[in-house]
Amino acid sequence: MKKSVNIIITILALFTLAGCSNSSSKPTQETKVVKDYSYQKKASKLNKQNKALKSDIKDLQDKITKNEDFLTENDQGKFSNNSSDTSKDNLANLDYTGTQEIVVNNNQPEFSDDDKSTANGAWQTYGDLDNLNRATSANALLNVSLMPTAKREGLTWNPTGWHNKKISSGWLYNRSHLIGYQLTGQNNNPKNLMTGTRSLNSPEMQAHEMDIAYYLKQSSNHFVRYRVTPIFRGDELLARGVQMEAQSIGDNEVQFNVYIFNVQSGVTLNYNDGTSQVG
């Protein structure tokens, strides 16, 4: 009897263990199903997000295309005039709209083959002051031989429109050289000076002058044809801007044709006489 009871207990124990084993395996399978379903949901969600992003990208591309078409159709004349018509009258009539330097004639300087001749070596010339005493132009075939070795002295000539004053960033105006002193050594030459804002003089004009100076110093055989023209509107005494053209001879290491507006952030300039108002 006792032996039978032990057998029964043993059998019951085995059933119990089997049951426990089965019950423990079921949650594992169910958990796997749940995890698989969770991954599927995440994948579906990401797929929807991906489709939405593709749709947004397509919309943006369509808008960009439409805007380019709009600019081409409606502003072609405006941008074409700003970048290709190099006549003094056209540049003088341009108004500053937030970009201080703009490209002229696709950045191609307008020099003839004769202009770029090096037959006579380096040279520099300065146009006469006009009937209003304004600087007119400066031309040169630059070479390291023209570059000064002496330190620049202080300037005393007051160009037209010279009504200087201090603003928060320093002096409003500089006596701006048409051709920078470091390139030719010309200093207190009235024909080479104009009233320019600090930002016109530096960094805008100076950045181009530094590029030229670096190129010239690389070899005594390097030449750069250079022209700088202050641009006035009518009889105004303060230039609206300055056009700078440069072409290295025999290569295109230095090549630009730009117009820089004579403006200063936070200051309203009266171009008739050079007076100004902050704010």
Side-chain angles (χ1 to χ4, degrees), residues 96-137:
Y96 173 69
T97 57
T99 301
Q100 190 164 6
E101 179 177 309
I102 62 173
V103 170
V104 177
N105 193 38
N106 298 314
N107 219 29
Q108 300 298 308
E110 297 185 271
F111 297 122
S112 66
D113 290 339
D114 288 342
D115 288 335
K116 294 181 287 184
S117 172
T118 60
N120 296 319
W123 53 268
Q124 55 182 308
T125 62
Y126 301 88
D128 291 334
L129 301 180
D130 68 9
N131 63 323
L132 296 175
N133 229 26
R134 304 177 300 188
T136 53
S137 65

Side-chain angles (χ1 to χ4, degrees), residues 70-83:
F70 175 79
L71 288 175
T72 301
E73 294 173 4
N74 295 283
D75 290 341
Q76 184 177 14
K78 176 182 176 182
F79 287 99
S80 175
N81 287 339
N82 284 3
S83 62

